Each structure stands twice: as structure tokens, then as C-alpha cells.
């Protein structure tokens, strides 16, 4: 349905999109996930023909977006980061205007507008000025104009940004229902928004694709390691010495402990190996009591933070806080 090949976008010396390639299949909901500045909006603006790429190719249903933008755009409904609303128009008037722009047959415009008003739950404000609508309602009008005419592909850039939890759930439900008939791509910097609605998640960081899979597979296969969190009475040096060389142990991540005279560590081991018994024996032999032990798999949240390099920044914060407390 959509093919993005080796897409590059440079702003002067800065590379916002860095050789991005992916394929989007028909009839699925895709999540485009990445922290702010990752290149999501830039990619979406290029895919929808609003921005020229520096290098690369985008094919929408076989049409090259750069060579034949008219044909390619006919298949796309787009809600950009800043919805293209005319504040001095009435909701219905605006949607009829968009229907005209999209080249929808005159005889069908009224019916199509009625349908999208219904779908996005804004029928009751159809006679209101867009200027007088709340942020949540404006966003729904933006969504309505994207869906109008039922393009094969609907691309939504951070559709829930700035909305309250109730509005977020409503938008999510609309996206879910759209996914039954359309190919939907939505971006977000918030993982939970994506993982609950999307069939497929693409994670981008610094303009590069760092993962692309189903939400389930992402948390399973990328969480290739088991994690074991320990609080050990003793010093890091003692505990490190006792644990080093343990079979199956891949990595140790040392942290300060909230308990005095103790140290916290996160151990990673291979997916298939359970190192708990060996850890117990090794620490016991070194006379280092285990004050706490908990094992767990990486959550999708952890995977996301790790892949996008946000983990380090986050991990530093509580430790700084602890020093202030002490
Ligand atoms: P996202 O939507 O994921 O937050 P963007 O695509 O908006 O990211 O931005 C990607 C990077 O490109 C950022 O570092 C941003 O500062 C930069 N950028 C975006 N638009 C421009 C522009 N018009 N000129 C220069 N740099 C830009
Ligand atoms: Mg953006």
C-alpha cells in the first residue's frame, strides 16, 4: 500500500530523517512512535506530499508521491500536527469546502459530510463556528476532514496531543473503527497510546527506524534478556566480585540503594537461563545477604526507552533526587 524507500531529509547540516525505509500493508493500523524531534512529522509531511525529500522515494498504492502527487494524494487523508482549519467557517461549511477541494462529486458531498460528522461525534456542533470550538472538538473536525471521502490511507500526526483523557479515549475509538476499513498511520510520542490501538509499531529515533513489529513481538523478542533486580547488603565492589563470571549473566547495572549499607543491581541474563539459584549461592558464599530479589521481563515501555536512548536520561533523574534527600 505504501512503500517508503531510503527517505532522507536534511535541514542544512541537520539530518531529520536518516535513510528511513518501511512498508505499510493495507487494512492495518500502524503506530509511528518516537520521542519529540525524532522525525515523525517530517516523515509524515513527506509521505503526504507536503514536503520535499532530500533523497528517497515514497510510493502510495504504486504512485510516486513526488512524480504524481495528485494521484498519490487522492488516496490519502491527512491530519497534520496543526490541523488546517479555517476558524471563520462553520463546521459543516468547512467540511463541504474540503469535500469540494478533494474533488468529491457534488451529489455525494452532503451525504459524506453527514457521515464523517457522525463518525467523529460532532454532528451537534455542525452549525458552530470553528473558532468557538474547544481544542478537542477542533481536533475532531481535523479528523473529520482527513477521513472525508474515505481515502484508502489515513495519516494522523499526534492526533491526541493536548487533549484530556476522555477526549483521548474518544479519538482512540474513532481510530479503531477507522482501522476496520482503512489503512491508518498515527504518530505519537506516547507509547501507551500506540500499543493499545495499533497492529504494528514502528519506533523511530533520531530519524532512524530502530524497531518495527507487533506490540506483542516488540515486548517479547526485543526483551531478549531476563532481568533480575537485587538489593544486596554490602558494597558494589564486593558484590561485583562475587557475581562476575556467573554462567548466563550478561550484564550488571549498578544503582545506589535506598537502604543504607546496601546496593541495588539489575542483572540481565539470556532469555532461556534462570540464574537465580546461582546468584543466591554466589552471594551466600561471599557472605553478602540478599535483601530483595525480583525478576521481571522488560515491558514495552522499557523497550521503547532503551531503543530510543531515553533510558539513560530517565535513570539519572531519581539518583540526583536521592542525593539531594541525603
Ligand atoms: P517529531 O515530529 O518526531 O517531533 P520533527 O519531524 O518535527 O520531529 O522534527 C525532526 C527534526 O527536524 C527535529 O530535530 C527538528 O528540530 C528538525 N526540524 C523540523 N522542521 C524543521 C525545519 N523546518 N527547519 C529546520 N529543522 C527542522
Ligand atoms: Mg511532530
Amino acid at each position: 500500500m505504501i512503500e517508503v524507500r531510503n527517505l532522507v531529509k536534511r535541514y542544512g547540516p541537520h539530518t531529520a530523517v536518516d535513510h528511513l525505509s518501511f512498508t505499510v500493508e493495507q487494512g492495518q493500523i500502524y503506530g509511528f512512535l518516537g520521542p519529540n524531534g525524532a522525525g515523525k512529522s517530517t516523515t509524515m509531511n513527506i509521505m503526504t506530499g507536503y514536503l520535499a525529500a532530500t533523497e528517497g522515494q515514497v510510493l502510495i498504492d504504486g504512485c510516486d508521491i513526488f512524480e504524481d502527487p495528485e494521484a498519490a494524494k487522492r488516496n490519502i487523508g491527512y491530519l497534520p500536527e496543526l490541523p488546517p482549519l479555517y476558524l471563520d467557517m462553520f463546521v459543516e461549511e468547512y467540511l463541504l469546502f474540503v469535500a469540494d477541494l478533494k474533488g468529491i462529486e457534488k451529489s455525494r458531498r452532503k451525504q459524506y459530510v453527514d457521515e464523517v460528522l457522525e463518525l467523529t461525534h460532532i454532528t451537534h456542533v455542525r452549525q458552530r463556528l470553528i473558532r468557538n470550538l474547544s481544542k478537542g472538538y477542533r481536533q475532531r473536525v481535523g479528523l473529520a476532514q482527513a477521513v472525508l471521502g474515505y481515502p484508502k490511507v489515513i495519516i494522523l500526526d499526534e492526533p491526541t496531543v493536548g487533549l484530556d483523557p476522555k477526549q483521548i479515549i474518544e479519538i482512540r475509538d474513532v481510530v479503531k473503527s477507522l482501522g476496520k476499513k482503512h489503512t491508518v498511520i498515527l504518530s505519537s510520542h506516547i507509547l501507551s497510546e500506540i500499543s493499545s490501538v495499533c497492529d504494528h509499531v514502528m519506533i523511530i529515533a533520531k530519524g532512524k527506524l530502530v524497531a518495527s513489529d507487533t506490540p506483542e513481538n516488540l515486548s517479547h523478542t526485543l526483551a531478549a534478556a531476563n532481568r533480575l533486580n537485587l538489593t544486596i547488603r554490602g558494597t558494589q565492589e564486593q558484590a561485583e566480585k562475587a557475581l562476575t563470571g556467573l554462567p548466563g549473566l550478561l550484564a550488571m547495572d549498578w544503582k545506589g540503594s535506598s537502604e543504607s549499607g546496601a546496593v541495588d543491581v539489575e542483572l540481565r541474563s539470556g532469555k532461556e537461563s534462570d540464574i537465580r539459584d546461582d546468584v543466591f549461592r554466589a552471594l551466600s558464599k561471599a557472605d553478602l545477604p540478599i535483601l530483595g530479589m525480583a525478576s521481571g521481563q522488560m515491558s514495552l515501555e522499557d523497550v521503547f526507552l532503551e531503543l530510543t536512548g531515553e533510558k539513560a536520561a530517565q535513570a539519572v533523574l531519581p539518583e540526583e533526587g536521592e542525593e539531594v534527600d541525603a
Side-chain angles (χ1 to χ4, degrees), residues 151-186:
K152 289 185 191 162
V153 185
I154 295 169
I155 299 183
L156 312 170
D157 194 0
E158 306 238 16
T160 56
V161 110
L163 302 186
D164 67 37
K166 183 166 170 279
Q167 294 168 331
I168 290 176
I169 292 169
E170 284 170 3
I171 296 276
R172 193 184 293 167
D173 289 343
V174 173
V175 169
K176 267 189 194 159
S177 65
L178 287 175
K180 291 184 189 130
K181 286 191 189 148
H182 303 263
T183 304
V184 183
I185 307 175
L186 82 153

Side-chain angles (χ1 to χ4, degrees), residues 123-142:
T123 304
H124 60 293
V125 298
R126 66 198 297 164
Q127 302 297 353
R128 295 262 292 272
L129 264 186
I130 294 177
R131 176 179 301 285
N132 296 336
L133 296 179
S134 67
K135 167 108 183 135
Y137 273 94
R138 284 187 194 185
Q139 195 68 355
R140 287 194 230 174
V141 177

Side-chain angles (χ1 to χ4, degrees), residues 35-42 44 81 157-158 187:
N36 284 322
K40 302 182 295 296
S41 298
T42 303
M44 289 180 147
E81 209 160 22
D157 194 0
E158 306 238 16
S187 72

Side-chain angles (χ1 to χ4, degrees), residues 85-97:
L85 301 177
Y86 291 95
L87 300 182
D88 291 322
M89 279 189 169
F90 298 95
V91 171
E92 183 171 9
E93 179 194 14
Y94 167 70
L95 291 173
L96 285 166
F97 168 70

Side-chain angles (χ1 to χ4, degrees), residues 299-318:
S299 68
L300 195 50
E301 191 83 34
D302 294 327
V303 172
F304 174 50
L305 293 175
E306 188 150 302
L307 284 173
T308 54
E310 301 279 292
K311 189 181 176 237
Q314 296 240 337
V316 165
L317 291 174

Side-chain angles (χ1 to χ4, degrees), residues 230 232 239-246 249 252 254 267 279 282-283:
L230 289 164
I232 302 163
E240 200 164 354
K241 196 168 158 226
L243 294 172
T244 299
L246 211 67
L249 179 62
M252 297 188 257
W254 296 93
L267 305 180
V279 166
L283 291 172

